[in-house]
Each structure stands twice: as C-alpha cells, then as structure tokens.
Amino acid sequence: MKKSTLLLATTIPGLAAIGSGLASSYFYNYAFKSLERFPKGSASNPTEDTIYYPSYHWFQDQPKEDWWLNATDPENKLHAYFIPNPKNTKKVAVIAHGYKGSAASMAASAKLFYDDGFTVLVPDDRAHGLSSGKYINFGWLDRLDYADWLDHLIARLGTEIQIVLYGISMGGATVMMMSGDPLPPQVKAIVEDCGYTSAEDELAYQLKRSFKLPKYPLLPMVSRINKLVLGFSLNSVSALHQLKRNKTPIFFIHGEADTYVPTQMCYQNFAATDAPKDMWIVPHAEHAKSYWTDPETYHKRVNDFLNRYLD
C-alpha cells in the first residue's frame, strides 16, 4: 500500500471520530445548557397579546413566598414559589414546569389549582428560573429535589395535607419519575401532561426530527458527556422504568397533534404502570397546548380524576 493511501486510510476514521466528538459536544450544549434569557412571548416572558399573559399577570400579583433549598450554597440553591390559599391549606398542588421553562411559565396551571381551592408550590428546576445550575437534567435529579420540597410542605402544613403532583412536558416526565420512588402517604394522585418516556427516547427523536441524524454514534457520546457533567447516563432517565414501580393513581394527558413529544409515548407510559390510571388524548392539541385547546374540558377531566382520590 502506498504511503499516501495508508495515510488516507488511517486519517478518515480519525477525522470521523473527531467529527462525531464535535457533533456530540455541540448537541450536548444545544440540548442540556440552560437558557440565559427567556424568549419574548414565551410562557416565562409573555407579551400582552399572548394567551399566557392573563394568568402570568395573576401569578405576578399573587401574594406568595420565596422558598429555598440549599440557600447558602450559591452553586446548588433551588427556588420555589409557595402560594398559600386562604380557603384551603390541606389540599396542595406541586407543579413541575417544562424544558427550558420556569415556575412562572406554569402560571395557568397554578391558577387552575388555586381557583379550585389548592395551596400551590411551583419550583424552579435546576438550571431554570431562579435556581442554580448550568445544565438541564431532564427531571432525573429534579425528582429528588421535589422529594425535598414535599418534606418542606409537610413540615409547614402538617401531616393531614393531601398532595397532587402535576407536571407538563419535562415536568410530566419528572412527576412520572417521582412515581417510582418512595413517596410520602400525603401524595394522593399524579397528573402528567405530555411527558416523554425517557430522555434517551426524546433526544433520539429530536436528533432525527431536527437534525436528520441517527441515534448512533452521537447519543452514546452525549450520554458519556452527561455522565461526566451531571453524574448519570441517559439510560437512567426513564419514566417507563419508574412507572413500573408506581402505586399512585395517575392521569395521563397528551395532545393528539403533539409532534415534539410524540403522542405514542403517552400510550407507552400508560401501559407501563399497573396503578389506578386514566388517559385522555386531547383532539387537535399540539405539544403542551392541551389546556389551551379546550380549557373547560381540561378542567373538568382533571377535577373528575382527582375527586376519586382526594377528600
């Protein structure tokens, strides 16, 4: 073999490896790095002409407390808004926001539960809102933080409270992943809206959808990066795995027209648990738009489910 041919044969695999490494690093930062600012018009930063603004305005004006975990540790401090309801402090909704969102982006959900007589706790997940962190963990570490928030709620409001876990998109995945861990008896029901089956499934789907790229070899490399940065591999982050251990009643909601977290994932999540359960596929609803597509029916469906399990 000529020297030039041998050099080419050894260089091409090397270049391919370098290219894959650069691509995986780019995709990791694209998918995992926190936002520096919220886009104008988003649910976290709505303009007056958006559907989010009335509930966002209510949320900003509502009397509330700032709660903190790890308050003296700048790199690990976590924030939540606590909104006590003068009508009822025994029913509590813990509300988990979506990917690259914030507690404020869940204003409509907070108002929905508050108007139904719930006290509300809305955390900012790691690397979101007022909480510390640079990289998003897709709910896997957040689920542990929410367990700490539950302890704070019970310490503040007493052991007689009844708690509902509610989340949309990544928040939906977060509360599903919580369901496989030991939960305090005060948690009576879970409502998840358009959560994914696993971080690996969702990222593989987005690689294909947005970049026209296959799962291999990029996603295993991204997983290795995340193991170094956040301490866990992507195959750990599985709602499906956690739901198999779930015993808490759970209501699955998903938009029929969801192309961001494909609707098929809802059917998979539903099938994964043997706990008391119900499912509603919302006609014509896109990702995280089920409430906005049909607010009255959404409200009724959630209420009907929760009334089975709360006093």
Side-chain angles (χ1 to χ4, degrees):
M1 183 181 290
K2 293 182 179 180
K3 185 176 181 181
S4 60
T5 305
L6 179 61
L7 181 63
L8 182 63
T10 56
T11 301
I12 289 175
L15 290 173
I18 292 170
S20 295
L22 291 173
S24 60
S25 179
Y26 170 83
F27 185 67
Y28 185 80
N29 281 309
Y30 175 86
F32 287 76
K33 199 166 184 180
S34 64
L35 288 176
E36 292 184 4
R37 62 181 63 86
F38 295 114
K40 192 173 182 180
S42 68
S44 293
N45 184 23
T47 53
E48 293 187 17
D49 59 339
T50 61
I51 56 174
Y52 310 114
Y53 188 78
S55 54
Y56 179 85
H57 187 265
W58 170 88
F59 187 82
Q60 297 302 316
D61 287 347
Q62 197 65 30
K64 52 188 176 291
E65 300 174 16
D66 291 293
W67 282 17
W68 298 93
L69 295 174
N70 312 317
T72 59
D73 183 353
E75 294 187 0
N76 294 293
K77 67 178 182 179
L78 302 171
H79 173 262
Y81 291 112
F82 175 72
I83 308 176
N85 195 319
K87 296 179 182 178
N88 194 333
T89 57
K90 294 304 179 185
K91 290 198 305 181
V92 184
V94 178
I95 297 175
H97 66 74
Y99 176 72
K100 295 188 177 179
S102 68
S105 71
M106 300 300 287
S109 302
K111 189 175 188 303
L112 180 73
F113 279 96
Y114 185 88
D115 289 347
D116 278 342
F118 283 78
T119 284
V120 177
L121 183 77
V122 198
D124 283 314
D125 291 356
R126 299 185 189 202
H128 293 82
L130 299 179
S131 292
S132 299
K134 295 180 181 179
Y135 294 97
I136 297 164
N137 65 84
F138 286 84
W140 188 240
L141 301 179
D142 297 319
R143 84 189 203 285
L144 304 176
D145 301 328
Y146 278 73
D148 290 338
W149 289 125
L150 294 180
D151 290 341
H152 278 251
L153 279 169
I154 295 165
R156 168 71 176 267
L157 300 176
T159 58
E160 300 303 312
I161 62 173
Q162 299 180 86
I163 299 172
V164 173
L165 303 178
Y166 174 89
I168 293 179
S169 191
M170 187 180 77
T174 301
V175 297
M176 284 190 285
M177 288 188 283
M178 289 178 71
S179 77
D181 296 335
L183 293 173
Q186 289 79 11
V187 177
K188 303 300 182 183
I190 299 170
V191 179
E192 81 82 23
D193 184 334
C194 65
Y196 40 79
T197 50
S198 71
E200 199 168 40
D201 289 346
E202 178 62 16
L203 289 169
Y205 173 79
Q206 292 299 332
L207 264 176
K208 183 177 181 180
R209 175 177 177 263
S210 301
F211 297 94
K212 313 300 182 197
L213 291 172
K215 178 178 178 178
Y216 299 101
L218 260 66
L219 211 52
M221 297 178 75
V222 168
S223 183
R224 287 195 286 272
I225 294 171
N226 194 64
K227 179 76 171 177
L228 292 172
V229 175
L230 292 179
F232 59 88
S233 301
L234 292 183
N235 59 13
S236 300
V237 190
S238 174
L240 288 175
H241 178 74
Q242 292 289 92
L243 284 165
K244 291 176 182 177
R245 298 199 294 258
N246 174 45
K247 302 299 180 185
T248 306
I250 182 167
F251 185 25
F252 298 87
I253 302 171
H254 215 102
E256 181 187 45
D258 193 336
T259 58
Y260 191 81
V261 175
T263 309
Q264 180 60 31
M265 288 191 181
C266 186
Y267 292 101
Q268 294 173 266
N269 287 328
F270 182 82
T273 184
D274 293 325
K277 59 186 177 180
D278 202 351
M279 179 172 60
W280 179 36
I281 304 299
V282 183
H284 313 300
E286 298 177 354
H287 183 66
K289 295 291 178 64
S290 289
Y291 170 76
W292 303 106
T293 300
D294 191 349
E296 289 186 10
T297 305
Y298 192 102
H299 187 188
K300 183 179 186 305
R301 288 271 193 154
V302 170
N303 266 350
D304 288 348
F305 181 81
L306 294 180
N307 287 339
R308 301 178 206 168
Y309 304 105
L310 274 68
D311 299 334

